[in-house]
Amino acid sequence: MATEAGVEALVERKSVTDLDPVAIRDRFRAQSAEIAQLAGGLAHEIRNPLSTMRLNLSLVEEQLAAEENPRDRRLLEKIRRVARESQRLETLVEDFLRLVRAHQPRLTLANLNSVVDDLVDFCEPQAAAQNVLIRTRFDRDIPAFPLDVDLFKQALFNLIFNALSAMPDGGELIIETRREEGRAALDVTDTGVGVPLDLQRKVFEPFFSTRPGGSGLGLPLARRVVEAHGGAIRLQSEPGKGSRFLITLPFDPPIESAAAAAERNSEHDGRSGPADVR
């Protein structure tokens, strides 16, 4: 019996290792899509009652706002506290939904410099309000290559938001692109507080955050988006001097199978532009 079980296990291991890389990738994509679908469905089930609860709390808050007696004022403060927590949980669910959807990029030819420039224009008012100067350095030799523009903007927005949060007293944010062999490189550098060495390995872990009230999903989402494009992201940081996120994106990202593409395109995920990820 033990011998038969060992043979079966050996056959199973051999059958898996004998699969060609495309088949292995397709199997992984299918499993990831199933997990994402289950997680997304659960998140939706949580988000919908949260939205209803916040609406009802808002109505009760309006009714109590005009009351002057101490009992009602204390009740109003409790309701506002619950409403704030409900908003925080709803934001967390929204961030989680973006995270589970990030493995399914919709690739079209795009100009990386234009994508970055468009997002910088969007973020400059907030940066100026924090006394942060944004500088851009674009390599004009980067060709158009396949990119999910909306998804990548969300990832880059998270990096910019992270940088602005690290410079509460102002500073400088430098966003630079350059062409490398077979790929584009993008650096996001700030002059903020930096990340302690013992925490640098944790910044891409889901739900890890050093910012009060942060969801801890902004940087994991950025990494997931970059990796979904076949790229890589890493952090260089020095406490007290600032941080730099280095991204590389291949000009020829891995092409999914026709079956995986059909499955992806059949899903409705309701994606939109950059959101305020906390």
Side-chain angles (χ1 to χ4, degrees), residues 214-275:
S215 69
L217 292 176
L219 294 181
L221 173 62
R223 182 180 70 173
R224 188 155 186 169
V225 169
V226 170
E227 292 179 347
H229 285 79
I233 180 172
R234 59 191 177 94
L235 167 66
Q236 294 177 343
S237 186
E238 186 173 349
K241 292 188 176 181
S243 300
R244 174 180 296 166
F245 287 92
L246 302 95
I247 297 173
T248 55
L249 298 165
F251 292 146
D252 186 19
I255 305 299
E256 63 187 353
S257 69
E263 180 181 5
R264 171 176 58 76
N265 291 330
S266 67
E267 295 180 353
H268 174 69
D269 61 10
R271 270 195 268 152
S272 59

Side-chain angles (χ1 to χ4, degrees), residues 176-233:
E176 180 180 7
T177 66
R178 62 184 179 280
R179 179 172 184 166
E180 297 181 350
E181 184 65 31
R183 63 186 185 181
L186 171 66
D187 295 348
V188 179
T189 306
D190 67 65
T191 58
V193 296
V195 180
L197 184 61
D198 60 324
L199 299 182
Q200 292 181 20
R201 291 183 298 175
K202 298 181 179 181
V203 296
F204 293 113
E205 294 180 4
F207 304 110
F208 174 80
S209 178
T210 58
R211 189 172 64 252
S215 69
L217 292 176
L219 294 181
L221 173 62
R223 182 180 70 173
R224 188 155 186 169
V225 169
V226 170
E227 292 179 347
H229 285 79
I233 180 172

Side-chain angles (χ1 to χ4, degrees), residues 111-123 134-138 147 149 152-153 156 160 174-177 185-188 249:
N111 183 295
L112 178 63
N113 292 334
S114 297
V115 172
V116 174
D117 194 46
D118 187 47
L119 186 59
V120 167
D121 186 63
F122 175 80
C123 294
I134 301 181
R135 299 184 185 274
T136 56
R137 301 169 183 167
F138 294 141
L147 199 67
V149 173
F152 188 75
K153 277 186 176 181
L156 182 56
I160 293 175
I174 302 172
I175 304 177
E176 180 180 7
T177 66
L186 171 66
D187 295 348
V188 179
L249 298 165

Side-chain angles (χ1 to χ4, degrees), residues 51-234:
S51 298
T52 302
M53 184 171 68
R54 283 206 311 113
L55 176 61
N56 282 278
L57 285 171
S58 178
L59 294 175
V60 174
E61 184 179 348
E62 288 180 5
Q63 294 175 358
L64 291 175
E67 300 296 332
E68 296 295 338
N69 68 77
R71 178 179 177 275
D72 286 340
R73 301 306 296 180
R74 289 194 299 270
L75 180 59
L76 178 61
E77 182 55 36
K78 290 180 179 179
I79 288 175
R80 285 173 174 169
R81 189 178 302 120
V82 174
R84 288 194 297 269
E85 285 301 303
S86 299
Q87 176 64 65
R88 185 184 67 82
L89 289 175
E90 193 170 352
T91 300
L92 180 63
V93 171
E94 291 288 350
D95 293 349
F96 180 76
L97 281 171
R98 294 188 188 95
L99 182 65
V100 299
R101 292 168 180 159
H103 73 290
Q104 299 173 327
R106 297 172 176 174
L107 302 177
T108 57
L109 283 179
N111 183 295
L112 178 63
N113 292 334
S114 297
V115 172
V116 174
D117 194 46
D118 187 47
L119 186 59
V120 167
D121 186 63
F122 175 80
C123 294
E124 273 186 331
Q126 178 62 38
Q130 294 184 214
N131 198 29
V132 173
L133 176 64
I134 301 181
R135 299 184 185 274
T136 56
R137 301 169 183 167
F138 294 141
D139 185 340
R140 303 298 177 182
D141 290 332
I142 297 177
F145 63 93
L147 199 67
D148 185 321
V149 173
D150 289 339
L151 205 54
F152 188 75
K153 277 186 176 181
Q154 183 67 64
L156 182 56
F157 178 84
N158 290 356
L159 296 179
I160 293 175
F161 183 85
N162 185 78
L164 294 179
S165 299
M167 297 183 286
D169 299 322
E172 190 171 355
L173 175 60
I174 302 172
I175 304 177
E176 180 180 7
T177 66
R178 62 184 179 280
R179 179 172 184 166
E180 297 181 350
E181 184 65 31
R183 63 186 185 181
L186 171 66
D187 295 348
V188 179
T189 306
D190 67 65
T191 58
V193 296
V195 180
L197 184 61
D198 60 324
L199 299 182
Q200 292 181 20
R201 291 183 298 175
K202 298 181 179 181
V203 296
F204 293 113
E205 294 180 4
F207 304 110
F208 174 80
S209 178
T210 58
R211 189 172 64 252
S215 69
L217 292 176
L219 294 181
L221 173 62
R223 182 180 70 173
R224 188 155 186 169
V225 169
V226 170
E227 292 179 347
H229 285 79
I233 180 172
R234 59 191 177 94

